């Protein structure tokens, strides 16, 4: 009779989940007993990093990823990352060890009391199987649940004595064989009506969101925009965890600002606003105003019923965005509207006024000069995100990952996961020196697994974006916004990452070219940058 462990590993095999991202403790060791040779364990040294790596891996591979954490303390450390994964729609199957069943009721040491409550409300499903024999069945359900739209993390707590129990063969045989076809398509009648409205509109516009990338639907979005002559905005950078449209395309007009009043102003003059694969909208900060410009209607297409329900205005069609975009393209056909005017190429970057420091725009111009189209950007650089978007103008799908939740500690870890999922493509992680600290231990994983990620750290010695928010919120004299004395390059070297500090733009271009093409493990470049918000 096979054990719960044997059939569970078989289940993971069936779903191609042969990589486990983890940080183990004594309660997880029984799962790892006799670890099969066809599996790989990716170790990270703190749980926020474990989840971030799995998040990047799941998003960049489009596959579910298994995260294994250490009972209550490990799961507790991971919650910030689970929040990020939920917003990123990363299909993570998170497991944590638990005390042996005979000692849970007496709450022996390391009992994960009320385990299923810990990751709430950021998981789609949270469960501790009532019997050892239910573990494989619960995990099968968890995998399907994580992958069904909207994708996202799920959690299963597993008592450590379950792994050696005898499996229920009939139940597990069926659980292993199950397949679920999906995702559901949008209602054809709703799309037909939308197509007519699109053709009748005078000045329609498309707002492209991250789900277009997750659904692999760039081609369909481009075809629709071209046939219907639509200008295309990216959803605000705050919620643009991925890019839904090529940013070098002549129809692409820019990134929407994130506040209510500014969005209405920016979209003024349009009569039909078609939002695809984004929340409506990832607003921040609160700058009140009309939700829509005068005379405009809004229609959202999303796979997420909650996103459809909570939008403060407009109509919504729920369904897969790839299916929706291709059907809409066919139904709407060609329009003879004026095509939008292409936006100008980025100009020379604003120079820094601080000696020995580049401006954020200069650093991003250097990155753009060294960029190769097959590269992937993983971004956690608050004060230079818009400069990066404007200068890189990413032209390929699956090439940009950003934590749309706003939770820091994603960048370094996610870049590692993306590199593991896309070993043939160069991965460049652009970080603020402040953001880098939350997940800094992930540098060890990059070095230990010899992953050729290029880390570019812009060091402005401060939490610049918070100073910017302070002025917006009329907050004066807030403490805790300066970061003197950090040396990320020195920390990186201590973790085994090759690192240098550069101050001249030309040197930076050269170094980035060298590091992006290198394949011998992680490299980090630290660049002192001047204080400021870098938007272009
Ligand atoms: C987990 C977490 N803690 C705190 C914050 C608040 N926060 C947002 S941006 C920021 C500063 C980031 O600093 P840095 O990376 O140096 O970027 P800069 O704004 O200077 O470009 C902080 C602390 C957050 N978003 N997430």
């Amino acid at each position: 009779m096979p054990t719960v462990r044997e059939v569970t590993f078989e289940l993971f095999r069936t779903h191609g989940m042969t990589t486990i991202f983890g940080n183990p403790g004594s309660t997880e060791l029984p799962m790892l007993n006799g670890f099969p040779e066809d599996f790989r364990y990716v170790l990270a040294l703190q749980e926020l990093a474990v989840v971030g790596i799995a998040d990047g891996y799941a998003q960049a591979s489009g596959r579910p990823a298994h995260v294994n954490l250490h009972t209550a303390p490990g799961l507790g450390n991971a919650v910030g990352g689970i929040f990020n994964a939920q917003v990123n729609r990363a299909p993570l199957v998170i497991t944590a060890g638990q005390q042996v069943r005979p000692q849970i009721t007496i709450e022996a040491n390391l009992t994960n009391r009320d385990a299923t409550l810990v990751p709430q409300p950021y998981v789609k499903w949270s469960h501790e199987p009532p019997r050892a024999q239910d573990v494989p069945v619960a995990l099968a359900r968890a995998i399907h649940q994580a992958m069904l739209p909207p994708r996202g993390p799920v959690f299963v707590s597993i008592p450590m004595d379950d792994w050696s129990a005898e499996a229920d063969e009939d139940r597990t045989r069926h659980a292993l064989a199950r397949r679920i076809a999906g995702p559901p398509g949008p209602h054809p009648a709703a799309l037909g009506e939308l197509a007519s409205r699109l053709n009748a509109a005078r000045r329609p516009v498309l707002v492209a969101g991250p789900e277009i990338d997750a659904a692999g639907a760039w081609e369909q979005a481009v075809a629709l925009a071209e046939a219907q002559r639509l200008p295309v905005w990216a959803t605000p950078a705050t919620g643009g965890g991925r890019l839904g449209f090529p940013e070098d395309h002549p129809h692409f007009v820019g990134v929407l600002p994130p506040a209510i009043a500014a969005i209405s102003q920016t979209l003024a003059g349009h009569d039909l606003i078609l939002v695809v694969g984004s929340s409506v909208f990832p607003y921040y900060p609160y700058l009140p105003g009309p939700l829509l410009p005068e005379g405009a209607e809004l229609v959202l297409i999303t796979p997420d019923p909650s996103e459809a329900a909570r939008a403060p205005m407009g109509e919504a069609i729920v369904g897969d965005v790839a299916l929706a975009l291709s059907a809409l393209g066919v139904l709407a056909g060609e329009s003879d509207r004026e095509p939008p005017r292409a936006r100008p190429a980025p100009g020379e970057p604003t120079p820094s006024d601080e000696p020995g420091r580049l401006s954020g725009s200069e650093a991003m111009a250097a990155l753009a000069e060294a960029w190769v189209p097959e590269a992937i950007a993983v971004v956690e650089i608050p004060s230079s995100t818009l400069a990066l978007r404007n200068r890189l103008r990413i032209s390929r799908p699956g090439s940009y990952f950003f934590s749309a939740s706003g939770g820091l500690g994603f960048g370094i870890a996610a870049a590692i996961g993306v590199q593991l999922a896309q070993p043939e493509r160069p991965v460049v992680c652009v970080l603020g020196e402040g953001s880098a600290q939350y997940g800094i231990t992930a540098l060890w994983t990059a070095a230990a697994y010899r992953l050729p990620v290029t880390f570019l750290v812009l060091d402005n010695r401060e939490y610049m974006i918070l100073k910017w928010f302070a002025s917006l919120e009329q907050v004066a004299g807030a403490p805790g916004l300066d970061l003197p004395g950090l040396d990320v390059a020195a920390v990186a070297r201590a973790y085994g990452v090759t690192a240098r500090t550069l101050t001249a733009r030309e040197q930076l271009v050269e170094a980035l070219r060298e590091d992006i093409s290198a394949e011998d493990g992680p490299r980090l470049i630290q660049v002192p940058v001047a204080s400021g918000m870098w938007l272009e």
Side-chain angles (χ1 to χ4, degrees), residues 30 110 139 180 187 260:
L110 289 177
L139 286 168
I180 297 179
H187 199 287
I260 293 175

Side-chain angles (χ1 to χ4, degrees), residues 381-383 406-408 432-435 438 460 462-466 483:
I381 174 63
S383 59
L408 300 177
E433 90 289 2
S435 301
Y438 296 80
N460 57 5
E462 62 189 350
Y463 286 157
M464 176 60 218
I465 188 114
L466 300 188
L483 290 183

Side-chain angles (χ1 to χ4, degrees), residues 21 48-60 84 88 376-380 400-403 409-422 427-429 431 439 442 451 453 455:
F21 302 91
L48 182 60
V50 175
V51 177
I53 294 172
D55 185 336
Y57 184 85
Q59 287 197 71
N84 293 346
N88 294 338
I376 301 175
V378 181
V379 178
E380 197 171 58
Y400 179 92
F401 297 92
F402 168 91
S403 185
F410 170 80
I412 299 176
I416 290 167
V418 170
Q419 186 73 84
L420 283 164
Q422 302 282 349
V427 175
V428 181
C429 179
L431 300 153
L451 300 171
V453 179
F455 297 98

Side-chain angles (χ1 to χ4, degrees), residues 237 247 253-258 343 346-350 359-365 381-393 458 464-465 468-469 472 530-536:
E247 303 207 331
V253 288
V255 183
L256 277 182
R343 61 182 181 149
E348 262 305 294
T350 307
S359 72
S361 296
E362 286 176 307
M364 291 304 104
I381 174 63
S383 59
S384 291
T385 301
L386 287 176
L388 179 144
R389 290 281 285 273
N390 180 40
R391 290 186 181 275
L392 288 191
R393 302 203 172 184
L458 305 195
M464 176 60 218
I465 188 114
W468 181 79
F469 276 125
L472 197 78
S531 181
M533 284 294 286
W534 307 104
L535 309 178
E536 46 75 43

Side-chain angles (χ1 to χ4, degrees), residues 8 51 60 101 135 191 287 302 343 376 435 465:
T8 300
V51 177
R101 288 183 184 268
V135 168
L191 284 185
L287 300 178
T302 172
R343 61 182 181 149
I376 301 175
S435 301
I465 188 114

Side-chain angles (χ1 to χ4, degrees), residues 205-210 231-237 239-240 242-245 247 251-257 263 267 275 278 281-282 389:
V205 62
L206 175 64
V207 178
V232 183
W233 288 94
T235 203
R242 304 174 69 154
L243 307 185
F245 203 82
E247 303 207 331
H251 285 233
F252 186 78
V253 288
V255 183
L256 277 182
I263 290 181
L267 296 177
V275 183
S278 162
F281 282 103
R389 290 281 285 273

